[in-house]
Amino acid sequence: MKKVTKLLITACMLLCLCNSCNEMTPSSYMEYMEDEDNGYVKTIRAGKWEYSIQLAPPAYMACRQFYKELEQGIDTAYQKRLADINGYMFFLIQLKQMANAPASINERIAQNAMAEEEVMYYQQRASQDISLHEGGTIYNPATYVYEDNYGLSPYNTIVVGFANPCTTGDVQLVFNDRYTQSPLLKIGFSQSELLSLSRKKVKTN
Amino acid sequence: MNQVVLKWPKRLFIVFALVTFLLCVGFCWLLLKPTPVAYIDISKVVNAYQMKKDLEQQTAGDLNRIKAVTDSLKMLKKMANNQPSPALDTQIMYAQYAFKQYYEQSNRAINEKIWERLNPLLETYGKERGLQLLVGANGAGTVLYGDKSIDLTEDLIKYLNNKYEKGN
């Protein structure tokens, strides 16, 4: 009996230890998600464009929005937001131009004219060119936002979300960027990656 | 119990001998290490690249539609017992021209898109495999002879297709 009790206590301790490994503070959770080495951020280079695509589960999105409150020990808004977006799968697509800034005035004028076209495309039509594939099922975006940084930062960001995608298998995000004419930009996440991510928890009160 | 007690000079000698031996082994390894040079069969790599297959499949649909129009026009001419009809002939000519133009343009575009994606990947591949030089054999005499052990074609194909499908 004593042996069994000892074994149970050891098992419980190990379980607690494992759980604490998977529970992270808001800032360390965000750092973990944004670290390319952990496999949730992947980069594709196509010509002079670089696409950095990050998988963003609801916990990450809510954490990004309310991490200051969470650090102060207030988690009401975080929990509410998490409940709102639960079941969704988000992706953050950062578009960055690799080439140097245009040198001549003519080039700058041409680029300014194209900027309007660029914003029009990414705000209105790009969502139709993004899809999520899981097995034979294709999901279309349920939410889509294009964050134009007006040239203040070297990249613009697309936030795209898919409602209730089945995540029992590998998932693949496909983006056919018609503005930069970069077709078939694919990013895949394996089932094991998704499973290990679902075990990660944000430490709240 | 007889214990062998080594005196300090003897110990120093053993350490010195060991260090010299290790240095010699390291030097020999550096000399005998194969040069990080490899070659690949470019045409095989490009043809096996999944992105090329996917893009060609997309283009094939459009080409088939244009071809269907040409075939229908030809059928109309046939039904008219091949009687001279300048309007129909012009239409057939236009459709054939459109097919040829689209085929050439799409081939050019596919090639361009593939190399836009391949170039940075080849650079990363070379760095990851620790290569100093990666030669592209194209069957036109760039590589006259290459040992099979430094033929990385299959490995590169796997690497590229994995990168294309998963991004890692």
Side-chain angles (χ1 to χ4, degrees):
Chain A
M1 188 65 192
K2 266 184 183 176
K3 269 186 181 177
V4 175
T5 323
K6 267 183 188 174
L7 266 171
L8 277 172
I9 291 169
T10 321
C12 281
M13 278 170 76
L14 278 170
L15 210 67
C16 288
L17 201 71
C18 285
N19 258 345
S20 65
C21 287
N22 283 326
E23 208 171 60
M24 297 166 155
T25 60
S27 51
S28 55
Y29 179 74
M30 288 194 297
E31 269 172 32
Y32 177 82
M33 289 304 300
E34 288 160 13
D35 189 350
E36 217 163 309
D37 293 339
N38 295 324
Y40 298 109
V41 181
K42 293 175 183 184
T43 309
I44 302 176
R45 272 174 67 188
K48 59 178 182 176
W49 293 90
E50 190 181 271
Y51 297 80
S52 174
I53 304 174
Q54 187 196 332
L55 175 67
Y60 174 81
M61 297 299 278
C63 206
R64 275 288 288 255
Q65 201 174 347
F66 298 109
Y67 73 94
K68 278 181 187 164
E69 285 90 331
L70 279 175
E71 277 170 2
Q72 287 163 6
I74 309 159
D75 71 340
T76 343
Y78 168 81
Q79 296 293 1
K80 192 179 175 297
R81 185 82 184 117
L82 198 60
D84 286 344
I85 57 175
N86 200 21
Y88 281 74
M89 187 186 270
F90 295 93
F91 292 90
L92 309 179
I93 307 171
Q94 282 188 354
L95 297 113
K96 189 175 162 190
Q97 201 166 357
M98 299 287 290
N100 293 331
S104 72
I105 293 170
N106 277 351
E107 276 178 314
R108 279 185 200 169
I109 291 168
Q111 209 189 41
N112 283 343
M114 281 178 77
E116 201 179 332
E117 197 187 317
E118 181 184 343
V119 173
M120 286 280 277
Y121 170 74
Y122 288 117
Q123 275 182 350
Q124 293 172 14
R125 298 202 307 274
S127 64
Q128 293 159 17
D129 296 329
I130 301 175
S131 55
L132 185 72
H133 298 235
E134 194 275 323
T137 321
I138 299 174
Y139 297 90
N140 290 317
T143 62
Y144 176 90
V145 177
Y146 173 64
E147 291 174 357
D148 188 3
N149 289 320
Y150 301 100
L152 296 172
S153 73
Y155 56 82
N156 294 325
T157 311
I158 290 172
V159 183
V160 63
F162 298 88
N164 304 312
C166 179
T167 50
T168 47
D170 298 356
V171 294
Q172 189 182 49
L173 183 85
V174 182
F175 181 21
N176 287 302
D177 193 336
R178 287 176 203 269
Y179 175 72
T180 62
Q181 294 180 352
S182 308
L184 299 169
L185 300 157
K186 293 182 181 180
I187 288 289
F189 294 96
S190 67
Q191 194 191 352
S192 59
E193 279 176 314
L194 297 173
L195 199 69
S196 102
L197 184 61
S198 65
R199 287 196 201 113
K200 302 271 178 243
K201 299 270 181 286
V202 180
K203 209 181 243 177
T204 52
N205 280 337
Chain B
M1 288 281 278
N2 287 332
Q3 274 190 340
V4 183
V5 183
L6 293 171
K7 284 179 182 171
W8 268 107
K10 211 169 183 181
R11 281 184 184 171
L12 269 174
F13 175 76
I14 290 170
V15 170
F16 181 75
L18 263 172
V19 169
T20 319
F21 175 72
L22 285 173
L23 279 173
C24 284
V25 167
F27 186 68
C28 288
W29 182 77
L30 273 176
L31 278 180
L32 296 171
K33 195 177 77 167
T35 325
V37 173
Y39 74 93
I40 50 152
D41 185 336
I42 292 180
S43 54
K44 207 171 165 186
V45 166
V46 172
N47 286 329
Y49 189 33
Q50 192 56 41
M51 186 186 174
K52 188 185 185 234
K53 292 178 187 171
D54 289 350
L55 285 174
E56 279 176 346
Q57 206 179 345
Q58 277 183 4
T59 316
D62 297 335
L63 283 170
N64 280 340
R65 273 190 287 276
I66 303 173
K67 198 172 177 293
V69 173
T70 322
D71 289 347
S72 305
L73 291 168
K74 280 181 182 168
M75 186 58 83
L76 278 176
K77 197 178 174 189
K78 211 174 178 181
M79 279 164 71
N81 293 327
N82 284 330
Q83 280 178 355
S85 163
L88 198 58
D89 287 343
T90 317
Q91 274 185 321
I92 292 172
M93 205 179 73
Y94 275 141
Q96 281 173 336
Y97 180 72
F99 182 86
K100 201 180 156 198
Q101 281 285 99
Y102 188 79
Y103 179 74
E104 280 171 10
Q105 272 176 15
S106 56
N107 258 0
R108 214 173 17 243
I110 288 173
N111 234 14
E112 198 182 302
K113 292 298 150 205
I114 284 169
W115 281 106
E116 267 184 5
R117 204 73 74 83
L118 281 181
N119 282 330
L121 285 175
L122 287 173
E123 196 186 318
T124 323
Y125 175 80
K127 279 178 187 164
E128 278 179 20
R129 296 288 188 276
L131 296 172
Q132 280 183 0
L133 186 69
L134 184 62
V135 182
N138 56 6
T142 331
V143 174
L144 297 172
Y145 170 74
D147 193 275
K148 280 283 164 206
S149 62
I150 56 162
D151 179 1
L152 294 183
T153 310
E154 292 303 324
D155 184 51
L156 180 65
I157 290 170
K158 255 188 227 167
Y159 175 86
L160 292 174
N161 283 336
N162 199 37
K163 280 270 178 194
Y164 169 65
E165 293 291 351
K166 291 182 179 170
N168 59 352

